[in-house]
Amino acid sequence: MTELPREEAIHTGIPDDFRHLLEQNAYDKVLQLVLGYFTDKGERVISLKDGILLVQDDEKKELKYGLDNLVRIVAATSLADWESVIYSYFNKVNFAENAYRFFFKDFEHARMHIKALIKPEAILGYEFARDLVNRRDFPGTCTVLVFDYNGQFRFLSSDDVKEWQQEEALLFEEAFCNIAQEEVTVHKMEVENGIEIYTFFSGDFSAVKMIELERNADFAHGTYGAVVTIPTKGAAFVSPVVNQQVMKQVEILAPLATQFFEQNPGNITPDIFWYYRGQIQEFIKKPAANGFTSIAMPAGLVQLLASTQ
């Protein structure tokens, strides 16, 4: 069994973001298998911190890997299958490297693979993310450009896209055009008092489709917009706002958002948002008695509803 290195650069303590998924001893097992993979390949692990792995390959090139999705995958998998899952995961990531070199020199061939994902805003504080091409759509998150190839996503940095010689706004336009073509399973639920809830499920693109709700799901945009949650990249919940029942809609959506955020891969945020004609505002959260949190409507929605009375 591969021993966990104890150099200063290797932080083996489980990151806070993973604690609801694995215990420390299980995380140690994951790291043993991950390090074993790179040892078998003859590559050197330089550092591990906050779930970000820095590896030097046999050509002395440094590669960065985030363990977030891998941890979520193994947490839902039998321990006996962990080694197979981990090796398959990294094999897919590494297979695409040579193709990237070609695509990053040829925009016309690359453009169909350009997409975007929504991530928690906190990732921008990590060293690997400081040069990512990103923008802000949902408060508390960032929308990052990714390259979708061979079933794997690669975050795109400014250095990756420089040879394309395209404005970032155009790259995001390309990304959203491609995302609009992605299939998402949509279901409609009618709950009490005529409230409608739409669920959007897919492998990766449900949340990011909500950035252009009117383009991708205009039926879910009510007279006064929509209440939207994007707990994970593959799940989104939307309720059209057509009257004054907004807080009842929030009451229904909030536990769904929290459950999916805590239990599923690709988590983003459990927060609640209001979408109206391309503008997105966050519902206001405040501490309440007995450790609870109160939620209030954003100012723009309050003003819009008041103008209709």
Side-chain angles (χ1 to χ4, degrees), residues 156-264:
L156 292 175
S157 68
S158 298
D159 188 60
D160 290 331
V161 306
K162 66 182 180 182
E163 290 193 53
W164 291 341
Q165 298 183 335
Q166 304 291 332
E167 296 291 332
E168 288 188 4
L170 184 143
L171 296 180
F172 275 105
E173 183 178 330
E174 289 285 342
F176 290 125
C177 285
N178 291 332
I179 288 166
Q181 305 306 312
E182 293 289 337
E183 293 187 3
V184 171
T185 300
V186 183
H187 293 291
K188 176 183 176 181
M189 301 184 295
E190 292 190 10
V191 295
E192 57 190 280
N193 300 323
I195 293 174
E196 296 178 347
I197 305 292
Y198 290 93
T199 65
F200 298 80
F201 294 118
S202 68
D204 301 291
F205 298 107
S206 295
V208 75
K209 276 179 172 279
M210 299 301 101
I211 293 173
E212 294 189 335
L213 182 64
E214 291 168 288
R215 175 183 188 174
N216 295 312
D218 61 346
F219 53 85
H221 191 285
T223 306
Y224 310 114
V227 180
V228 178
T229 70
I230 51 167
T232 74
K233 65 180 181 178
F237 303 96
V238 180
S239 185
V241 179
V242 296
N243 53 37
Q244 301 282 338
Q245 297 188 92
V246 176
M247 295 313 298
K248 184 62 179 178
Q249 293 169 274
V250 170
E251 183 180 325
I252 295 168
L253 290 181
L256 279 174
T258 298
Q259 178 184 353
F260 274 77
F261 174 78
E262 292 180 348
Q263 298 180 5
N264 291 276

Side-chain angles (χ1 to χ4, degrees), residues 49-235:
K49 186 177 182 181
D50 296 325
I52 304 298
L53 195 68
L54 181 63
V55 176
Q56 186 179 73
D57 66 14
D58 54 5
E59 297 179 354
K60 307 299 182 183
K61 180 180 178 181
E62 292 186 359
L63 305 172
K64 294 177 182 178
Y65 303 89
L67 298 185
D68 181 86
N69 278 348
L70 177 61
V71 166
R72 293 174 185 278
I73 291 168
V74 299
T77 305
S78 170
L79 177 61
D81 296 326
W82 282 13
E83 182 171 14
S84 174
V85 167
I86 288 169
Y87 276 56
S88 296
Y89 180 88
F90 285 112
N91 281 338
K92 278 187 175 182
V93 172
N94 289 317
F95 178 78
E97 269 309 309
N98 289 332
Y100 291 143
R101 296 188 183 99
F102 163 73
F103 284 123
F104 291 161
K105 294 180 181 296
D106 191 325
F107 177 69
E108 289 305 315
H109 283 92
R111 64 194 308 169
M112 71 180 67
H113 300 285
I114 301 170
K115 294 177 184 171
L117 293 173
I118 302 175
K119 303 295 288 184
E121 193 172 49
I123 74 159
L124 297 179
Y126 295 148
E127 183 179 350
F128 87 96
R130 289 175 184 168
D131 194 36
L132 295 184
V133 182
N134 73 91
R135 71 182 211 184
R136 188 174 189 260
D137 292 291
F138 282 87
T141 75
C142 58
T143 307
V144 296
L145 279 187
V146 297
F147 200 81
D148 182 7
Y149 178 74
N150 194 39
Q152 293 288 322
F153 293 120
R154 174 178 176 137
F155 292 145
L156 292 175
S157 68
S158 298
D159 188 60
D160 290 331
V161 306
K162 66 182 180 182
E163 290 193 53
W164 291 341
Q165 298 183 335
Q166 304 291 332
E167 296 291 332
E168 288 188 4
L170 184 143
L171 296 180
F172 275 105
E173 183 178 330
E174 289 285 342
F176 290 125
C177 285
N178 291 332
I179 288 166
Q181 305 306 312
E182 293 289 337
E183 293 187 3
V184 171
T185 300
V186 183
H187 293 291
K188 176 183 176 181
M189 301 184 295
E190 292 190 10
V191 295
E192 57 190 280
N193 300 323
I195 293 174
E196 296 178 347
I197 305 292
Y198 290 93
T199 65
F200 298 80
F201 294 118
S202 68
D204 301 291
F205 298 107
S206 295
V208 75
K209 276 179 172 279
M210 299 301 101
I211 293 173
E212 294 189 335
L213 182 64
E214 291 168 288
R215 175 183 188 174
N216 295 312
D218 61 346
F219 53 85
H221 191 285
T223 306
Y224 310 114
V227 180
V228 178
T229 70
I230 51 167
T232 74
K233 65 180 181 178

